[in-house]
Each structure stands twice: as structure tokens, then as C-alpha cells.
Amino acid sequence: MPQTDTPGTGGMSGLRLRWWTELPLILLVYGAYSAGRLLARGDVSTAVDHGIGILRIEQFLHINAESPLNRLFTDNAWIGVPADFWYASLHYLVTPLILVWIFRSRAVHFRAARAWLMVSTMIGLIGFTLLPTCPPRLLSAGHGFVDTMAQYSDYGWWGGEASAPRGMGGMTNQYAAMPSLHVGWALWCGVMLWRHGRSPLAKVAAVGYPLITTIVVMGTANHYFLDAVAGAAVMGVGLLLVRPVLRLADRVRSRVRLPLAVAGASSGAGASSGAGASSGAGASSGAAVGSGGAAVAGSSSVSYAPESSIVSAGCQTSTGERIPRPRKRPAEPGAEPSARPAEAGDSTPTAAR
């Protein structure tokens, strides 16, 4: 159902949202994101060095939470298997579903929400390009990490190469670990549920979904803790850029619409002037024919002399115009009536003598 944005919500007044224009835009951005991941594979040795550097920083700060979580997921299949399903599927299901929900029931907020998600995704793509990072599961065994996706691959559709279906692991960039957009997108979903959800269940999901996703990406050895922090930071920067991006989009849209409107007005004015000229020429010719016909008719019949104009006090009136006479003021008491009847007016009878 088409909706319109209201002022102050990041939309343009009168802008209609249609799913057949929004869906291709979202698919285009996601396609660019996926293609960027493939193009930004980077050098493997550089990605490994970046991963080891992040791990050492965490160990120095005693925040390497991914190590104990990975051991927990590896030793307990009842935790590891659901976590693998969570990592491999919800990232691609929950985010689109919340987008559709906002579009249908919170349409005045959709444009800003969509812009936030897309801008943050593009920032994440820049991070993949500039800082290719080897995830913990691809480090050498001496670092103590186990790839739970490979360990429990018999339970699901994924293989030993990331969360891609079996045989399609080569189509993904396995060194796009920094920042974690799994965490970033989950945080976006949580904010949307918290702001626009009305039930207590929505509030619980708003907190639980990004929190569990953060634990899952570390426990499955797909991301470091600092990857998750970077994912949240990317969403924060994207949020700050939403208003400038929307203003820029509105300015571009207005500049595109203005030449189209001018061109439409010019074509409409040309059509109107052409029609007016044709009708005016027709009217003039019709008047000429009519006057000519009247002249011919007058020559063959009785001709009528025009009425003479009235001249009064040096002012000539138009033909047929009558000068109104001033109303007679009543005589004052004791005043003698005028001896000249003409001064009494047309309707005053002559006094008897």
C-alpha cells in the first residue's frame, strides 16, 4: 500500500513508497555488497597477519572472549549446531523481514531506516577492502580455534567454507571479517524492533537478537570480539550520515525533476498556444465572414442609420447612452416655487395659473 513520508522523518513530502521501486534498490545494494566482498579478497598472508594482530590486541586487553566460547560450542553439539543454523540463516532472513514490516506498517520511518542500513553496509564494504582479515577459524591450529561450521556441516546445508551452501564456498570472501556485519545488521534489527515494536516480545527480541548474534559469531569462530565492536561502530557512523545522505538524495531528485517539469510545461504551453492561435484565427475569419455577410445583407435590404450621440456641456457620450438627471431636492419651507416650469423637471406638471 503506498504511503507518504511526513516532515521530520527523513522523507520527502508527497514521496510515494512502492515495493517495485524499493526492492530493486535493496537488491542492487546487496549485490554491490556481495560483489565487493568477492573483489576485495586481498592477499591471504596480509589477511592472516591482520587476524593475528587483532587476536594479540585482545589477549593483551584480556577481551578475547571468542576463545572460551569456541571451546563451549565445539564440545557441546546442542549449542554448536543451533548456533551454526543461526549464523548461516538468520542474517539473511530477519533483516529483510524487518525491512518489509517497516515498509508496510511504519512507512513514514522506512526511508530513514533503509538509508541507515545501506550506508552502513557500504562503510562495511570499505572496511573489507582496506582491512582484509582472516577469521579465527582459518588460523592455524596452534591458536586453538575449531571451525564449528565444518565440524557440524553434516547437520546443515553449509560446507567447510564459511556459511555458503556446499560447493559454493568459492563464491564468498572468507577474509571479510572486519567489521562484522552480522553484528551490525543484527544491531539495526534490534533498534528497529525497540523503536517501532509495541509488544513486550518485540522489546525482548530487540535486545536478545543482537546479543545472541554477537555470541554466535564469536563461538563459531567466524569473528573476533573486536570485529563485533567494529560492526557496532560502523552502524553508529552510518546513523550519523543518514540525514546528510537523505538531504543529498532530495537535492538530486529535485534537480532531476525540475528539467522534466520545465520540459513538460514548455510542451504544454506550446500545445496551448497552437490551439489558441488556431481558435483565434478561426474566430477572426468567422467575424470577417459575418461582417461581410452583414454588409451584403445590408446592401440588399433596408439600411439602418446609427443613433446619434448626445452632446452635453462639451462631453460626448457613447451611442445610446443616457445622461441621468439629478434628483430634485425638496423646496425649503417658505420658499416660493419657481416661475419657470422647465426647471421643475420632466415629470413635474405645469402649475395652474
Side-chain angles (χ1 to χ4, degrees):
M1 179 178 179
Q3 301 286 342
T4 57
D5 288 348
T6 57
T9 59
M12 284 184 64
S13 179
L15 179 64
R16 292 183 179 274
L17 300 176
R18 297 181 176 87
W19 67 268
W20 58 84
T21 58
E22 292 296 328
L23 183 59
L25 178 61
I26 294 172
L27 293 179
L28 178 63
V29 173
Y30 182 76
Y33 160 72
S34 300
R37 284 170 58 100
L38 294 176
L39 295 175
R41 291 174 183 266
D43 181 62
V44 174
S45 61
T46 302
V48 172
D49 291 341
H50 290 162
I52 293 176
I54 291 174
L55 182 60
R56 288 175 178 173
I57 293 174
E58 290 184 355
Q59 290 172 346
F60 175 77
L61 298 175
H62 301 286
I63 56 174
N64 55 324
E66 61 273 2
S67 297
L69 284 174
N70 182 244
R71 288 193 295 268
L72 177 65
F73 283 30
T74 302
D75 296 339
N76 299 276
W78 65 275
I79 298 177
V81 172
D84 288 341
F85 274 100
W86 187 289
Y87 180 84
S89 60
L90 294 189
H91 180 61
Y92 306 102
L93 295 177
V94 175
T95 308
L97 287 176
I98 291 183
L99 266 175
V100 173
W101 169 62
I102 296 175
F103 179 82
R104 293 182 60 87
S105 60
R106 306 289 187 273
V108 293
H109 305 286
F110 175 79
R111 191 164 175 254
R114 179 248 290 155
W116 181 21
L117 182 64
M118 291 183 176
V119 171
S120 302
T121 301
M122 293 298 102
I123 296 175
L125 179 58
I126 295 173
F128 300 153
T129 305
L130 299 179
L131 193 67
T133 303
C134 177
R137 62 184 179 83
L138 294 181
L139 294 177
S140 61
H143 292 90
F145 293 101
V146 176
D147 187 353
T148 60
M149 303 292 292
Q151 179 179 352
Y152 301 122
S153 61
D154 293 339
Y155 290 87
W157 61 85
W158 57 87
E161 297 177 305
S163 58
R166 293 185 181 91
M168 299 181 64
M171 298 181 64
T172 63
N173 179 14
Q174 299 191 71
Y175 301 102
M178 170 66 77
S180 173
L181 286 185
H182 269 77
V183 173
W185 286 14
L187 180 60
W188 177 87
C189 294
V191 173
M192 294 298 106
L193 288 172
W194 184 269
R195 290 188 60 188
H196 307 304
R198 297 176 180 174
S199 65
L201 181 60
K203 303 297 184 182
V204 172
V207 177
Y209 179 60
L211 179 61
I212 295 176
T213 298
T214 302
I215 295 173
V216 163
V217 300
M218 292 190 295
T220 57
N222 279 284
H223 289 283
Y224 304 95
F225 175 72
L226 288 181
D227 293 346
V229 173
V234 162
M235 299 307 296
V237 174
L239 181 61
L240 294 177
L241 293 177
V242 167
R243 289 185 180 273
V245 168
L246 289 179
R247 283 197 296 265
L248 177 61
D250 294 343
R251 192 175 299 115
V252 171
R253 184 181 292 108
S254 63
R255 289 183 179 180
V256 170
R257 287 180 176 179
L258 183 60
L260 296 178
V262 170
S266 300
S267 60
S272 300
S273 61
S278 301
S279 60
S284 300
S285 61
V289 171
S291 61
V296 173
S299 62
S300 60
S301 62
V302 180
S303 60
Y304 296 92
E307 297 180 2
S308 60
S309 59
I310 302 174
V311 179
S312 176
C315 297
Q316 184 176 356
T317 63
S318 59
T319 303
E321 183 177 357
R322 182 181 179 184
I323 300 177
R325 294 180 179 273
R327 298 179 61 183
K328 182 180 178 182
R329 298 177 60 184
E332 297 181 0
E336 296 182 357
S338 175
R340 300 172 58 182
E343 296 179 1
D346 294 341
S347 60
T348 306
T350 303
R353 297 185 176 216

